[in-house]
Amino acid sequence: MGKLFGTDGIRGVVGENLTAELAYRVGQAVTAVLTEEAGRPPLITIGMDTRISSDMLEGALISGITSVGGDVMPLGTIPTPAVAYLTVQVEADAGVVISASHNPFEHNGIKVFNGLGYKLSDALEERVEQKILSDAPMPLKKGAEIGKRIHGMKNLKYEYIKHLAGTIEDDLGGLRVLIDCANGAAAATAPDLFGNFEIEADFIHRKPTGTNINLRCGSTYLRSLAAMVTAGEYDLGIAFDGDADRCLMIDERGNVVDGDKTMAVCGRYMRDQGILTGRTIVGTVMSNLGLHEFCNKNNIRLICTPVGDRNVLEKMLEGGYRIGGEQSGHTIFTDYATTGDGQLTALQFLQILHRSGQTASELASICPAYPQTLVNIDLPNQPGLKEAVMASDALLSAIRREEEQLGGDGRVLVRPSGTEPLIRVMVEAKTAQQADACAGRLADLVKSLKI
């Protein structure tokens, strides 16, 4: 991981460590590297979520890109996976997303896809980062060599919506769903998308103000959605995050259907259809023990990667696997997308629900969930601090001690966040009380460390 690029691009608090000046330089650096690669100025798409800072950062990026000769195709407010898809469709050289996903509105980020719709390689990210951080002047253009902004591209979102709608065959008639747009990018596409079907869909949190994205709503806050699903007798609740690359769901009883359960339902259906390549699902080390148990019982192989949808996708492409994802709701269907897509995931699940004749709770019950406690410990935003904490002998000893106490009936995972100044502690155990107690002890230890 570099000084600027984390596991999901550049992230920061706008006005502090993510500024318009930095975005301008990122635009220049990305364009310069792509020009070196192709031997010509690139065409770059840009999409963004609904944060108040996204317009400012878009303007800075466009200025940076065009100043060194690149052309820009702004897509407007649109989900992250739509940028990946449309970048390929318009044959652009790269796509840039301005979003901090599930984080609060004060945060924002810059993520780059290559011309094939995949996240920029580590090698190219490193070259971009070197240019951003160096004092070397950028190759500024003048006259007719200055890049241009291509107007009228915002309607391309309907090409993306058409693509998603075409991934399923059913009309979904007879289903009632409640959809939480998180006051984010899904508000720009979800109503039109679900309007293609006979489904009865109601929407909440679809009025972005610039400061209410992910605010007590969306996939990071399911409480209100769950209450409304049960009170309104909906068949399913669907929650996206700020940039709509995640999807978590609520069954008709108000219970969470997380990414693990979604992969189990979709993976078993794909197995039964004979399209689950290698009878394999790709998860991460965060995947619940219940998903392991489900896969063992259903003769499905579960491959676990380090946390991060980039790692999941790399393993999927390596083995030709068709479904993978994270418990947090990033689910990747490589038949249809090059990255996690929340709306695509919702449609795949809804078609299975429509065909099954079962309720959502009955479908999801095939994958048990062991009690799991996740604690996030905030750290000062200092370079190298997360790495120093993780290397602490006291922490490593405590983890071994807790694992011994859990025996074979649980597990402990302590890891640094790839996008925020956090250490994450995850514990699974036979009971919630055991998991809570273990996670609490480890969290207290991390807070007490003197690094």
Side-chain angles (χ1 to χ4, degrees):
M1 196 182 301
K3 295 179 180 178
L4 293 176
F5 285 93
T7 56
D8 206 22
I10 297 171
R11 292 278 182 90
V13 177
V14 179
E16 293 182 11
N17 55 345
L18 178 55
T19 62
E21 291 81 5
L22 176 58
Y24 175 73
R25 192 137 178 104
V26 171
Q28 289 183 314
V30 168
T31 307
V33 168
L34 292 176
T35 300
E36 293 168 0
E37 284 286 296
R40 57 169 176 75
L43 170 63
I44 300 174
T45 64
I46 293 184
M48 59 185 178
D49 69 19
T50 59
R51 292 163 212 272
I52 194 170
S53 60
S54 290
D55 287 329
M56 177 188 77
L57 294 175
E58 181 197 45
L61 280 161
I62 291 175
S63 296
I65 291 166
T66 55
S67 73
V68 293
D71 291 338
V72 183
M73 187 179 284
L75 303 173
T77 300
I78 200 166
T80 287
V83 177
Y85 174 76
L86 292 172
T87 296
V88 177
Q89 298 307 303
V90 302
E91 298 182 347
D93 297 285
V96 176
V97 178
I98 303 167
S99 175
S101 189
H102 60 285
N103 290 339
F105 86 92
E106 299 92 343
H107 297 248
N108 217 326
I110 301 169
K111 178 164 56 180
V112 186
F113 292 105
N114 65 23
L116 298 176
Y118 299 108
K119 291 180 182 178
L120 215 58
S121 69
D122 291 340
L124 282 181
E125 278 190 354
E126 186 176 346
R127 285 171 58 188
V128 170
E129 186 167 291
Q130 288 173 350
K131 284 188 180 293
I132 296 169
L133 298 175
S134 75
D135 294 326
M138 294 291 183
L140 296 176
K141 303 298 181 182
K142 56 185 178 180
E145 292 184 335
I146 294 173
K148 60 183 179 295
R149 172 181 177 144
I150 301 172
H151 294 271
M153 296 298 106
K154 293 183 180 179
N155 282 337
L156 281 173
K157 76 175 185 179
Y158 295 107
E159 293 299 315
Y160 168 68
I161 290 170
K162 180 181 177 182
H163 162 66
L164 291 185
T167 65
I168 64 171
E169 299 173 349
D170 291 18
D171 63 10
L172 306 180
L175 292 177
R176 293 185 67 243
V177 298
L178 183 63
I179 300 171
D180 185 341
C181 295
N183 292 317
T189 53
D192 288 317
L193 172 62
F194 288 92
N196 281 279
F197 302 95
E198 297 300 318
I199 194 170
E200 182 182 337
D202 294 322
F203 298 87
I204 58 174
H205 304 124
R206 56 171 291 197
K207 295 181 179 180
T209 64
T211 60
N212 64 356
I213 187 171
N214 299 316
L215 181 62
R216 298 174 69 84
C217 61
S219 64
T220 55
Y221 187 88
L222 296 168
R223 200 174 306 164
S224 62
L225 178 63
M228 294 177 72
V229 165
T230 54
E233 298 184 351
Y234 289 93
D235 298 304
L236 190 70
I238 298 168
F240 304 117
D241 64 340
D243 66 338
D245 65 350
R246 296 189 191 198
C247 172
L248 294 179
M249 290 173 279
I250 298 292
D251 69 26
E252 81 287 352
R253 295 181 176 179
N255 300 312
V256 176
V257 181
D258 64 12
D260 287 342
K261 288 180 176 289
T262 299
M263 286 191 290
V265 170
C266 294
R268 187 178 72 167
Y269 178 81
M270 293 168 71
R271 182 204 66 186
D272 293 345
Q273 297 296 308
I275 59 172
L276 186 63
T277 307
R279 299 178 75 91
T280 296
I281 293 172
V282 180
T284 75
V285 293
M286 288 289 286
S287 293
N288 193 280
L289 287 171
L291 182 60
H292 290 258
E293 182 178 308
F294 160 80
C295 288
N296 288 334
K297 287 183 178 179
N298 287 271
N299 193 24
I300 292 174
R301 182 170 63 149
L302 177 64
I303 297 177
C304 290
T305 74
V307 172
D309 57 335
R310 177 196 291 257
N311 298 316
V312 172
L313 181 61
E314 285 178 358
K315 182 59 69 174
M316 293 176 72
L317 295 176
E318 177 187 306
Y321 306 124
R322 293 172 123 162
I323 183 171
E326 299 184 279
Q327 186 187 64
S328 58
H330 285 118
T331 308
I332 304 172
F333 296 87
T334 51
D335 284 346
Y336 308 116
T338 57
T339 188
D341 189 323
Q343 292 173 109
L344 172 63
T345 300
L347 287 178
Q348 302 307 305
F349 189 93
L350 281 168
Q351 178 163 266
I352 297 169
L353 179 62
H354 187 250
R355 292 179 173 183
S356 70
Q358 296 181 293
T359 63
S361 62
E362 289 169 340
L363 266 185
S365 68
I366 63 172
C367 182
Y370 280 60
Q372 188 178 79
T373 299
L374 178 64
V375 179
N376 294 324
I377 303 102
D378 292 302
L379 296 178
N381 196 9
Q382 299 173 6
L385 182 57
K386 288 186 289 188
E387 292 75 13
V389 169
M390 291 302 300
S392 162
D393 289 337
L395 178 58
L396 295 174
S397 296
I399 292 171
R400 285 194 297 270
R401 193 163 55 247
E402 296 290 351
E403 287 175 332
E404 288 172 1
Q405 289 183 16
L406 290 172
D409 298 319
R411 61 185 180 130
V412 175
L413 179 65
V414 180
R415 66 179 185 88
S417 168
T419 58
E420 300 172 80
L422 299 171
I423 295 293
R424 304 191 192 277
V425 175
M426 189 277 287
V427 179
E428 284 178 350
K430 270 188 172 181
T431 68
Q433 292 81 0
Q434 284 177 304
D436 289 345
C438 177
R441 288 190 293 269
L442 288 170
D444 290 342
L445 176 63
V446 170
K447 294 173 186 176
S448 71
L449 290 175
K450 307 298 181 184
I451 304 295

